[in-house]
Amino acid sequence: MNSRLKYIFVLVCLFVIGSTSSYASSEEHSLEGEKSLNVKELILDHLADSYQWHITTWGDHQIVVSLPVIVKGENSGWNVFSSARFDHGHAAYKGFYIAQEGDYKGKIVEKNASGEEIRPWDISITKNAFALIVCSIITLVLIMSVARWYKKNSTAENPKAPKGFIGFMEMFIMSVNDDIIKPCVGKNYKKFAPYLLTTFFFIFINNIAGLIPIFPFGATVTGNIAVTLVLALFTLVIVNIFGTKEYWKEVFWPEVPTWLKPIMIPIEIVGVFTKPFALMIRLFANILAGHSIVLGLVCLIFLTVKLGVAINSSMTVVSVVLTIFISFVEILVAYIQAYVFTMLSAVFIGLAQAEPHHAKKHD
């Protein structure tokens, strides 16, 4: 247990050091340009997706990992090249460049025949997309390693109890299955357990990876509404495709007095879509807010630079202490948000497995 706590503490310290060094470089550039630190813009820039992965700034040199750009222009067709061609957003390549302002700020754009900025078809491997691929591979490796051990060492005739990492993963998986999926879904839980387990570990691993400021981790994947939208859509599709006749009857012809049906039917139909919408917003908002708070606390160090050594030193101590505390809370939130998303998805799926009242009484 002590070794696990030490490991968590090291991760949090790395996060604090990484965040602080990142903001130090940002503050240095802002002071060189004789501009005051814009906390809102700085936080949004750090949380936003990008075509390059900024590692650190060493003197005047920025150390970045250039990611592949895959775009289809209006006239030039498909183009594949490295994002290094943009020179950190200051150069154009084959008519494509990164917009510095406007509705497409931070996105690749080109100009049409009228001279207007337009978005090409863009399927580039961005920072979030790359982190998503890495975390998906980690999820597959973890789960498949457990399955492989059972396939090789344990059978129905000769069951064996795993130890070490495999034993820990078994405990983790079974706790999610027995404490979340089984009671929330009901008797058909085995049918939906693969999806719900995958969802839980996918969200949990991405949440944890977002707290580690070391390449290839540190991207706020679950703080991107496009990712949470896709997860919510999966739940929406599963709920409604596998919904029973009784479920659809409760939606389009609920058991309420006849005079209430014109009111309840629209409410039930809207509820079909508001449930996954709540899933999407809950996960996105909580993860984004947590990262924003941590980054905002780090900014206190630089906001008080011009107020004197005494104030700046005291605020630095306050900032570091609060950042460490919130980072520990973020580790807990990483689990809670995966738990809540999986639990609510399981509840929605379970409600869609409604049976006729006479069948329930018979059982």
Side-chain angles (χ1 to χ4, degrees):
M1 185 65 184
N2 290 333
S3 61
R4 291 179 185 174
L5 289 175
K6 289 179 182 178
Y7 180 68
I8 292 174
F9 180 75
V10 169
L11 290 180
V12 173
C13 289
L14 288 173
F15 174 72
V16 173
I17 293 170
S19 301
T20 305
S21 62
S22 177
Y23 274 97
S25 63
S26 300
E27 173 64 11
E28 182 179 339
H29 285 299
S30 66
L31 289 176
E32 286 176 359
E34 297 182 356
K35 296 179 180 178
S36 59
L37 180 65
N38 188 327
V39 176
K40 179 182 176 181
E41 183 178 347
L42 214 160
I43 291 175
L44 291 177
D45 286 343
H46 275 71
L47 295 177
D49 202 0
S50 63
Y51 296 94
Q52 290 184 324
W53 199 305
H54 183 270
I55 306 298
T56 188
T57 301
W58 190 271
D60 295 330
H61 181 66
Q62 294 187 36
I63 301 175
V64 299
V65 175
S66 298
L67 300 171
V69 174
I70 308 171
V71 290
K72 181 183 180 183
E74 190 177 57
N75 300 314
S76 58
W78 286 103
N79 293 272
V80 181
F81 54 91
S82 171
S83 59
R85 298 284 189 177
F86 292 131
D87 189 23
H88 308 295
H90 302 300
Y93 182 72
K94 291 187 176 181
F96 302 103
Y97 60 95
I98 298 177
Q100 301 300 315
E101 57 184 12
D103 296 336
Y104 302 134
K105 182 180 179 181
K107 302 294 183 181
I108 293 177
V109 296
E110 62 176 344
K111 290 188 176 180
N112 59 16
S114 304
E116 299 173 335
E117 281 188 348
I118 58 172
R119 283 277 285 147
W121 284 96
D122 187 358
I123 56 171
S124 304
I125 306 299
T126 61
K127 180 179 177 180
N128 282 343
F130 183 79
L132 194 65
I133 294 170
V134 171
C135 290
S136 298
I137 292 172
I138 292 174
T139 304
L140 283 172
V141 170
L142 288 177
I143 302 303
M144 294 306 294
S145 63
V146 177
R148 185 180 180 184
W149 185 93
Y150 274 97
K151 186 177 180 180
K152 285 188 172 182
N153 301 284
S154 183
T155 61
E157 297 78 15
N158 185 27
K160 293 182 180 179
K163 298 179 180 179
F165 173 74
I166 302 298
F168 170 76
M169 286 300 298
E170 181 195 36
M171 179 188 69
F172 203 174
I173 292 170
M174 292 310 297
S175 68
V176 175
N177 184 72
D178 295 342
D179 298 337
I180 304 175
I181 300 172
K182 191 174 180 179
C184 292
V185 176
K187 67 179 184 180
N188 294 328
Y189 76 95
K190 289 183 179 179
K191 183 177 182 179
F192 304 100
Y195 164 69
L196 293 169
L197 283 169
T198 302
T199 299
F200 176 86
F201 283 100
F202 174 80
I203 294 173
F204 178 67
I205 290 172
N206 274 283
N207 289 349
I208 292 296
L211 299 175
I212 306 173
I214 301 173
F215 179 82
F217 307 114
T220 317
V221 174
T222 44
N224 187 314
I225 198 167
V227 175
T228 60
L229 170 63
V230 172
L231 290 172
L233 284 176
F234 276 125
T235 297
L236 173 67
V237 171
I238 290 173
V239 166
N240 292 287
I241 283 183
F242 295 100
T244 62
K245 293 180 179 179
E246 186 65 21
Y247 164 72
W248 287 110
K249 179 183 175 183
E250 291 176 358
V251 172
F252 292 106
W253 198 253
E255 292 187 2
V256 295
T258 306
W259 63 272
L260 270 179
K261 291 186 187 294
I263 300 174
M264 291 304 299
I265 291 174
I267 292 176
E268 291 290 343
I269 294 173
V270 170
V272 170
F273 300 99
T274 55
K275 290 173 183 176
F277 179 79
L279 283 177
M280 175 187 71
I281 295 299
R282 183 188 295 273
L283 179 59
F284 161 72
N286 280 283
I287 298 302
L288 190 68
H291 284 273
S292 299
I293 290 171
V294 172
L295 296 171
L297 287 171
V298 176
C299 282
L300 287 175
I301 299 172
F302 308 107
L303 289 172
T304 57
V305 168
K306 297 180 180 180
L307 299 180
V309 176
I311 295 178
N312 182 241
S313 299
S314 60
M315 291 307 298
T316 298
V317 172
V318 171
S319 175
V320 171
V321 170
L322 288 178
T323 300
I324 292 175
F325 172 74
I326 296 298
S327 296
F328 273 108
V329 173
E330 279 290 280
I331 295 173
L332 179 61
V333 169
Y335 173 80
I336 291 174
Q337 290 307 314
Y339 181 97
V340 170
F341 190 99
T342 306
M343 181 188 68
L344 291 177
S345 294
V347 168
F348 298 153
I349 291 172
L351 291 173
Q353 302 302 299
E355 297 178 350
H357 295 293
H358 62 82
K360 293 179 183 177
K361 290 177 182 179
H362 180 72
D363 292 341

